[in-house]
Amino acid sequence: MRSIFGLFGRSPFGPLTEHTERVREAVRLVRPLFEAFTAGDWDRAAEINEQISKIEHKADLLKNDIRDHLPRSIFLPVDRSDVLLLLKEQDRLADRAEDLGVLVNMRRTPTPEGMKEGTLALVDAVVAAAERWFDTALDIPLLQEASFTGPEVVKVMDRIKEVSDLEWEADKRLATLSRTLFQYEGEIGAVSIMLWMNIIRVLSQIADHAENSADLLRLMLARR
Amino acid sequence: MTLALLVLLATLVAGLYMAWTIGANDVANAMGTSVGSGALTLVAAVVLAAIFEFSGAVLVGASVTETIGRGIVETTFFEVTGPFGQDGPLMLAVAMLCALLAAAAWLHLATHLALPVSTTHSIVGAMVGVGVVAFGFKGVAWSKMGQIVGSWLVSPILGGLFAYLSFVAIRRLILQADDPIGATKRYSPYIVGAVVTVIFLSFIYKVLGSRFDVPPLVVSLVVALGAGAVAALLTRIIVRHADPARGTNPYLYVERIFALLQIATACFVAFAHGANDVANAVGPVSMVVMLYNSGFSSVVGAVAVPKWVLVLGGAGIVVGIATLGYRVIQTVGKEITEITPTRGFSAEFGAATTVLLASSLGLPISTTHTLVGGVIGIGFAQGIGALNLSMIRSIVGSWVATVPVAAAVAALLFFVARALIL
């Protein structure tokens, strides 16, 4: 058979969507993780940690698979390096979720009663920013169908802005929670404070990576 | 004259084999995506391909057939006054047979090795081979050959350009619209009308034009525009009754409509392919038949390509589709998920327009490579998820190899035949 159809490479946009879905799965376990952590339910926390770790590994495999199928000879409708950067940045959301699982299970760090509400509020704000990003990323195949032009681009651009707004919201809660934390330095001790700071920092990074991913998508759309 | 009859029969058989190969392998390029998208069933695709390949071959196939048969080898040297003397016309027939056999053998091998080899390049290369063995370098009409090779370079680029423009138009009018569904309903009749007008214009100019006392361009314009208008009206009715299914993704509807519209361009490709590629099989046949009819007395006897030779070629292609081509169509249809109907429509329109244009000019080009050009054109218009550009290298490589290999095989065959006969 003499066919020209070797001309079509594998489009990265379908697998990219799969990657988005995996990362979303991992990030959606962050709230249950923190519920277990703040309630001191260590068995549950360990169990969720294991789940996140498995999902993160699957996302990694997808990431490598997409990279393997994008040699330089593949011509994409957008800049190839933009796709690879976006993939890397999105993957970091799952990495941070995994880091949180590890941090939370590292040591039985107590949660002062006055921290519970603020912590879960920060979790919700961070996850909201990430969710907004996932919604946007899941529209990338639609963008490709419209060949990266038209009203779809306008819609996506609006959503990118929303991710940025949500990240800002999360930052504000982060500042509040950090101030609250130091009211308890006498109660829980310096080591716990140090761990808490790490946890809060890594948590807020999920929102940062969501915003960065959105910015990279904006760049990808603006370049063409 | 038993040798003459033998040459004639052998040429007919080899020509039919070539036509069969063309039908078996190349038709999938036209119909594969439509079967893959579900717009056509396999049976419908085979029937449509057969009808359009056959009519393209019979209605528009003559010019390119003339070029392959008479245009590349300097046939006048085979005249009875030439170096071969009285044997000249017979030797020309033998040369044609050798070229055909060489091209067929190379294609057969290439098919086994799954190389993307063009039938056009094989037969043209083989013709060059016999011309050179017969009379040295002056045995080939290099000016015509220059035009042909030039058209090989230009056709993928032109196919790409037409495809690019067609896709950009679809994007502007439909994909970028605030309401892609409404835009599809509004513009698709015009798009189909334009396609049908181009198809009709290309062959009516040749078929009907000369039979009336008015300038052929006027007749063909009127008929073509009429046909285009009818097609547009039909499309309007079809599209109006198509279920809009307003959901979250309007592009699904757009693609579903274009899957239907793409049937038109798939037929267009089949028609253009028949018109251009039938010559690869019957170009040498028509020359041998003309020589046989003149009793091998002269090489400049009959001028016109006999209609029945084109019918024979068309029939060979149809048999190729029916015996093996349908399986290739099925395979291609399953493999191709990366090209959606809006993209397929544009690529096919660009390629078919270019191929038909070349056919009217009597230039044998590769339909496959023109289609590759069309697909790359869409890629440059940001239409395709991922293009494997290393494929271009393998295509260029295959035609850089095909011409010399086919030429060498044909030269060898003719060298042996000449030694045996003279």
Side-chain angles (χ1 to χ4, degrees), chain A:
Chain A
M1 188 178 115
R2 290 173 279 121
S3 143
I4 63 165
F5 293 106
L7 189 59
F8 297 98
R10 199 187 67 169
S11 164
F13 300 108
L16 185 64
T17 301
E18 266 179 66
H19 184 261
T20 307
E21 279 165 354
R22 282 278 168 268
V23 174
R24 183 171 68 175
E25 240 177 275
V27 170
R28 280 183 176 173
L29 286 171
V30 170
R31 165 92 200 194
L33 178 74
F34 272 82
E35 279 168 5
F37 163 59
T38 51
D41 185 350
W42 302 113
D43 292 343
R44 176 95 181 107
E47 189 188 309
I48 295 170
N49 178 28
E50 212 163 289
Q51 283 178 31
I52 294 179
S53 169
K54 274 187 196 147
I55 296 167
E56 192 275 343
H57 181 58
K58 281 188 203 159
D60 264 351
L61 293 181
L62 270 168
K63 180 185 70 178
N64 292 334
D65 180 54
I66 295 172
R67 286 179 177 168
D68 290 347
H69 281 88
L70 283 182
R72 276 183 205 287
S73 57
I74 293 286
F75 181 82
L76 300 177
V78 291
D79 199 318
R80 175 178 157 275
S81 54
D82 283 350
V83 175
L84 292 172
L85 278 176
L86 182 64
L87 179 67
K88 190 173 167 187
E89 195 60 32
Q90 177 167 273
D91 199 61
R92 283 183 176 147
L93 275 95
D95 289 345
R96 290 302 88 85
E98 194 190 28
D99 291 349
L100 284 173
V102 172
L103 277 172
V104 159
N105 285 284
M106 201 175 269
R107 172 177 171 273
R108 298 199 166 179
T109 307
T111 308
E113 200 51 46
M115 286 281 289
K116 278 183 183 168
E117 200 183 319
T119 304
L120 291 179
L122 175 60
V123 168
D124 286 342
V126 163
V127 172
E131 287 283 1
R132 206 74 196 118
W133 159 249
F134 297 137
D135 290 345
T136 314
L138 290 173
D139 264 358
I140 292 177
L142 207 63
L143 278 173
Q144 200 239 318
E145 279 176 55
S147 94
F148 299 93
T149 55
E152 260 337 290
V153 172
V154 179
K155 269 187 235 165
V156 167
M157 285 295 195
D158 286 348
R159 262 197 233 138
I160 289 172
K161 210 184 146 288
E162 286 171 33
V163 176
S164 167
D165 291 346
L166 288 167
E167 190 273 342
W168 184 59
E169 288 293 327
D171 266 355
K172 283 194 291 190
R173 299 229 176 132
L174 169 72
T176 318
L177 189 65
S178 301
R179 274 195 303 275
T180 316
L181 175 64
F182 287 100
Q183 294 171 8
Y184 298 97
E185 56 178 283
E187 187 184 318
I188 59 175
V191 178
S192 290
I193 292 286
M194 192 196 80
L195 256 141
W196 262 102
M197 282 189 65
N198 259 321
I199 289 169
I200 292 174
R201 188 173 49 82
V202 173
L203 186 58
S204 73
Q205 280 172 358
I206 290 183
D208 294 341
H209 289 308
E211 190 190 20
N212 290 346
S213 302
D215 280 343
L216 284 170
L217 180 60
R218 191 211 309 262
L219 203 64
M220 185 161 107
L221 294 174
R223 264 193 205 168
R224 56 165 312 283

